[in-house]
Amino acid sequence: MSRLLHSLAEALGADVAADASLRPASVAGCAVPRARFAEAGAVLKDAHAMLVAEWAADESAFGRGFGVYACYRWAKDCVVVKAELPAGDPTFPTLTGSWAPAFRFERQMHSLMGVVPSGHPDLRPWIAFEDWPAGAHPLRKGFDGTRPLARGAGDYAWIRAAGEGVYEIPVGPVHAGIIEPGHFRFLAVGEDVVNLEERLGYVHKGIEKRFESLPWGEGHRLAGRVSGDTTVAHALGYCIALEALAGCEVPERAHWLRALLLERERIANHLGDLGAIANDAAFAFLWYQMMRLKEGLLRTNSALFGHRMTMDCVVPGGVAADLTAEGKRAMAAELDAFLPEYERLVRIYDDNASLEDRVRSTGVLAPQKALELCAVGIVARASGINHDARIFHPFPPYDRLDEIELEVPVLVSGDVHARAWVRVVEVRESVRLLRYILEHLPEGPVRAPVAAPPPGGAGFAAVEGWRGEIVYWLQAGPGGEVNRVMVRDPSSVNWIGLEQALPGNIVPDFPLCNKSFNQSYSGHDL
């Protein structure tokens, strides 16, 4: 039995009921009475688990009200806890007493689904805006997403501070660059940041609602557009969850090709981030050089897979593009030329005293704070948390740990440099993995048929994208159709980390800190 599930059973006794509808079998599912939902979270906190995600589903199609779900993990052990809410009283006890990430998860659930976390200390809208009409909850089945939303009046209550010399700096949502929109409200004294408050949601596109109108076989294309720079990892998350739900056996070669695409996406984005971090410290030379390397990878992607970002290459049941023998040779030659040039640039980064002065001890997210926030990915590994979904939720070839000896870099300083250096090491490791894949790529088919999911079933997946762990939870309706698709990008938890890392820094260092986190607006706003 799952260690986490055992802890729940010991504490809550007969109030814990197994949920056999969740797949794969390696992820445990259970239901508890709604009155004990928060208590279950506290029990798992004591068991040293981390809160992965919290979400709600409109389950009126099943003849009931709403379901609220919370996913927890401890290493490979993963459990999804559910509580049912009646349609006429969609309240449940908040998890915020135990879990910091629940603050935003539950604000979002309240805004988009209309469920009410009792005892939540801050139910200002999240993703939703104050000019949305009262009672508009887009993820409810009765909401018509095909019609424009009426516009109402409202105001947003920003956090305020008073005192001599305290002033506000509003930044965004439109920025002086080609980036996505987000509003950052600084409270500062002189140049010192006292508090940073984020306001996101400006690129809310109704993606989770849109999934519900698509057949299962087309959802991967939408998943691949949740955050365009992470198209492989998001499409992979959707496909793995669907394949688990439908009982599809993906061919071995397809698994390996998916890993190859995932690692190429990781390298390309890390190169862009390393260059951007240097550029925000006024070291433009490294920005141009890193982007030159990244451009080479993207052109190879285009030549071998038909798309610079390899969009739509991952499909349910496998992949839509194979790699020829000539393609393998071209990629191997590319890596041979890439690595020496990359190492030359890393030495320049590491030897530059001006750059070091800007990135060391700047924007520190302390390990204890990262743990409280349940941070993931590069942000977590720069702050002492050793978690990587390639190890804890592996698929071939990541399941050959003894053979591939995957190195996961973990630093503890939690500053801009640590987040940059995790990327530096991960690029080297991805190059090594790519070489391994090219040398050992098995022969065989690259796609298998995917059967219709069973009515009422649910599928779960966790994929290590370049930013961090991406989670998908798919629920089939009573007729086998899509009832709910939950997407949790790493940005959903890591954006809070940026808020926590800023106080004590000076305002001019914000771009540098922000770039080192580089969270997705689109992946968060959905």
Side-chain angles (χ1 to χ4, degrees), residues 252-260 396-397 400 436-437 440-442:
E252 186 81 356
R253 182 177 177 87
H255 278 306
W256 286 60
L257 288 171
R258 286 175 167 185
L260 181 145
R400 302 183 176 195
Y436 179 87
I437 292 169
H440 298 86
L441 184 65

Side-chain angles (χ1 to χ4, degrees), residues 103-111 122 124-126 156:
F103 277 83
R104 284 200 181 158
F105 287 145
E106 292 180 356
R107 285 176 67 184
Q108 185 167 332
M109 292 159 63
H110 180 246
S111 293
D122 176 12
R124 291 175 297 166
W126 190 252
Y156 188 75

Side-chain angles (χ1 to χ4, degrees), residues 322-346:
D322 204 348
L323 188 63
T324 64
E326 184 181 353
K328 287 171 63 177
R329 287 192 292 274
M331 199 178 292
E334 175 191 53
L335 295 177
D336 288 342
F338 168 86
L339 198 57
E341 182 65 1
Y342 173 70
E343 293 295 352
R344 186 179 74 86
L345 297 179
V346 170

Side-chain angles (χ1 to χ4, degrees), residues 18 36 67 80 176 190 222 266 394 446 469 491 514:
R36 307 195 75 176
V80 176
L222 181 59
R266 193 180 322 280
V446 297
E469 179 189 59
S491 309
N514 189 24

Side-chain angles (χ1 to χ4, degrees), residues 41 50 79 85 147 149 154 178 187 196 200-201 215 222 262 276 304 330 344 389 392 400 412 439 442 466 471 482 491:
M50 303 271 275
V79 61
L85 317 181
R147 306 180 64 177
L149 200 63
I178 306 174
L187 296 174
L196 167 64
L200 304 173
L222 181 59
L262 197 61
L304 297 182
R344 186 179 74 86
F392 296 123
R400 302 183 176 195
V412 296
E439 291 171 7
W466 65 273
V471 175
V482 179
S491 309

Side-chain angles (χ1 to χ4, degrees), residues 88-160:
D89 179 22
T91 61
F92 64 99
T94 178
L95 296 184
T96 53
S98 299
W99 297 100
F103 277 83
R104 284 200 181 158
F105 287 145
E106 292 180 356
R107 285 176 67 184
Q108 185 167 332
M109 292 159 63
H110 180 246
S111 293
L112 301 185
M113 190 65 81
V115 295
V116 183
S118 301
H120 193 294
D122 176 12
L123 280 181
R124 291 175 297 166
W126 190 252
I127 304 298
F129 280 83
E130 58 274 13
D131 60 357
W132 287 22
H137 303 298
L139 286 180
R140 287 193 174 188
K141 296 299 181 187
F143 183 88
D144 184 358
T146 65
R147 306 180 64 177
L149 200 63
R151 191 165 185 172
D155 193 17
Y156 188 75
W158 291 92
I159 293 172
R160 304 288 184 187

Side-chain angles (χ1 to χ4, degrees), residues 120-349:
H120 193 294
D122 176 12
L123 280 181
R124 291 175 297 166
W126 190 252
I127 304 298
F129 280 83
E130 58 274 13
D131 60 357
W132 287 22
H137 303 298
L139 286 180
R140 287 193 174 188
K141 296 299 181 187
F143 183 88
D144 184 358
T146 65
R147 306 180 64 177
L149 200 63
R151 191 165 185 172
D155 193 17
Y156 188 75
W158 291 92
I159 293 172
R160 304 288 184 187
E164 185 177 353
V166 179
Y167 64 101
E168 290 185 358
I169 308 174
V171 176
V174 178
H175 299 278
I178 306 174
I179 61 173
E180 297 175 282
H183 188 113
F184 302 97
R185 186 70 62 98
F186 296 88
L187 296 174
V189 176
E191 285 197 327
D192 295 330
V193 177
V194 176
N195 188 63
L196 167 64
E197 185 179 5
E198 300 161 349
R199 184 86 199 275
L200 304 173
Y202 298 95
V203 282
H204 173 61
K205 304 163 287 297
I207 280 182
E208 289 183 320
K209 185 75 171 180
R210 177 62 177 147
F211 272 116
E212 297 172 14
S213 64
L214 294 176
W216 291 107
E218 292 185 15
H220 68 287
R221 291 170 55 81
L222 181 59
R225 287 154 178 81
V226 164
S227 185
D229 55 13
T230 320
T231 182
V232 172
H234 268 283
L236 190 52
Y238 175 88
C239 288
I240 291 177
L242 175 59
E243 290 150 6
L245 174 58
C248 172
E249 291 290 335
V250 176
E252 186 81 356
R253 182 177 177 87
H255 278 306
W256 286 60
L257 288 171
R258 286 175 167 185
L260 181 145
L261 296 171
L262 197 61
E263 297 307 324
R264 289 187 68 83
E265 184 169 85
R266 193 180 322 280
I267 295 172
N269 280 288
H270 281 358
L271 291 173
D273 280 356
L274 288 169
I277 290 169
N279 191 50
D280 277 353
F283 193 28
F285 167 80
L286 210 54
W287 158 253
Y288 294 127
Q289 297 302 315
M290 289 291 182
M291 291 305 290
R292 179 175 58 82
L293 288 184
K294 177 179 178 178
E295 178 64 20
L297 289 178
L298 299 184
R299 290 185 182 188
T300 302
N301 285 345
S302 180
L304 297 182
F305 302 107
H307 194 283
R308 287 167 57 86
M309 311 292 281
T310 63
M311 189 170 277
D312 295 332
C313 287
V314 176
V315 296
V319 291
D322 204 348
L323 188 63
T324 64
E326 184 181 353
K328 287 171 63 177
R329 287 192 292 274
M331 199 178 292
E334 175 191 53
L335 295 177
D336 288 342
F338 168 86
L339 198 57
E341 182 65 1
Y342 173 70
E343 293 295 352
R344 186 179 74 86
L345 297 179
V346 170
R347 282 196 297 277
I348 291 173
Y349 168 91

Side-chain angles (χ1 to χ4, degrees), residues 12 55 96 132 263 338 344 364 376 426 429 434 446 452 493:
L12 277 61
W55 66 97
T96 53
W132 287 22
E263 297 307 324
F338 168 86
R344 186 179 74 86
V364 174
V376 297
E426 288 190 353
E429 192 64 3
L434 285 177
V446 297
V493 287

